[in-house]
Amino acid sequence: DAGVIQSPRHEVTEMGQEVTLRCKPISGHNSLFWYRQTMMRGLELLIYFNNNVPIDDSGMPEDRFSAKMPNASFSTLKIQPSEPRDSAVYFCASSFSGTGGNQPQHFGDGTRLSIL
Amino acid sequence: SQKIEQNSEALNIQEGKTATLTCNYTNYSPAYLQWYRQDPGRGPVFLLLIRENEKEKRKERLKVTFDTTLKQSLFHITASQPADSATYLCARGSQAGTALIFGKGTTLSVSS
């Protein structure tokens, strides 16, 4: 079975440019998560969706970040305009929906984003 | 707030020894704790999930405990091997919904 697929794997762009990260979750999973990982802050949840509906976006840093899930098999995370402090590894994960942490999450291999 | 902390950033042990990693949580006790392994350049991979009312759970050379009195989970790897070298993350469920809150991880190095 295919796992969570993220693209691109690496992105280098200049400050001020728009960045779009893409994610295809595991078929049948109905929860999708976007995380950001840095050495300083570890793995932070940005936003998650249940059945394509955003449930909690309190982790999104500011209005420059937006996420969409137009259907069950695709999600995007967009940064516009990008800034150097956005440089990090961004992960997408999917799982069956649950409560209290009773469902394992399956992660993609991330997008390493560098903003110059 | 619902915090989860992994006390050690790094742990170095010799092959064949048991590695023990610690995860502490604050405030209310989560119903579930999860442990993940992350290799460089890869996403975290799920290893084990333990429920609040389970004191201990095992999978091959892995063992996880959940102590609600100490507000702590311990993760053990017995007969450790160099291939076990990786970063290990613990995670707690949030108070509502599907989200997880992750610790920063402990990087384990097993030398031969």
Side-chain angles (χ1 to χ4, degrees):
Chain A
D1 281 344
V4 174
I5 300 172
Q6 291 187 246
S7 65
R9 287 299 312 278
H10 302 276
E11 175 88 16
V12 181
T13 191
E14 291 191 346
M15 184 175 76
Q17 297 297 307
E18 178 179 290
V19 174
T20 300
L21 311 182
R22 297 173 175 80
C23 176
K24 178 179 169 57
I26 291 173
S27 178
H29 283 180
N30 49 4
S31 291
L32 183 139
F33 309 83
W34 283 101
Y35 292 90
R36 177 171 68 179
Q37 188 174 43
T38 61
M39 289 292 292
M40 285 294 294
R41 300 174 69 91
L43 194 62
E44 301 176 281
L45 178 67
L46 300 176
I47 185 171
Y48 81 94
F49 297 81
N50 272 356
N51 297 315
N52 313 338
V53 176
I55 301 301
D56 182 359
D57 66 355
S58 59
M60 295 285 261
E62 49 199 89
D63 291 346
R64 297 185 297 107
F65 285 67
S66 62
K68 293 183 179 179
M69 191 164 186
N71 56 61
S73 58
F74 184 65
S75 177
T76 59
L77 178 68
K78 189 171 291 188
I79 308 173
Q80 166 66 13
S82 57
E83 296 183 4
R85 60 190 167 125
D86 302 331
S87 298
V89 182
Y90 290 80
F91 287 102
C92 175
S94 70
S95 76
F96 295 109
S97 62
T99 185
N102 67 343
Q103 295 295 329
Q105 294 186 8
H106 299 260
F107 285 76
D109 280 334
T111 295
R112 183 172 295 276
L113 178 64
S114 297
I115 308 296
L116 306 177
Chain B
S1 64
Q2 308 162 55
K3 288 188 178 178
I4 190 156
E5 293 178 351
Q6 296 182 249
N7 294 346
S8 299
E9 285 191 5
L11 179 64
N12 300 306
I13 65 168
Q14 282 204 314
E15 184 175 8
K17 301 293 186 184
T18 296
T20 298
L21 285 63
T22 304
C23 180
N24 294 290
Y25 59 88
T26 59
N27 298 331
Y28 80 96
S29 181
Y32 301 88
L33 285 169
Q34 301 187 21
W35 284 87
Y36 290 75
R37 169 180 172 143
Q38 185 174 20
D39 291 288
R42 306 297 300 274
V45 174
F46 171 76
L47 295 175
L48 282 167
L49 178 152
I50 185 166
R51 289 194 306 268
E52 186 180 19
N53 60 359
E54 292 179 309
K55 298 301 179 188
E56 180 180 299
K57 197 156 189 180
R58 293 174 184 261
K59 177 182 175 183
E60 297 173 353
R61 294 183 296 111
L62 308 181
K63 183 178 85 171
V64 172
T65 62
F66 194 159
D67 189 325
T68 56
T69 302
L70 293 178
K71 295 192 174 184
Q72 184 178 83
S73 176
L74 297 180
F75 177 82
H76 305 272
I77 306 175
T78 57
S80 59
Q81 305 166 359
D84 295 326
S85 299
T87 297
Y88 293 86
L89 303 166
C90 70
R92 65 176 294 167
S94 65
Q95 205 156 7
T98 313
L100 292 175
I101 301 166
F102 282 84
K104 287 189 177 180
T106 296
T107 298
L108 173 67
S109 297
V110 181
S111 55
S112 56

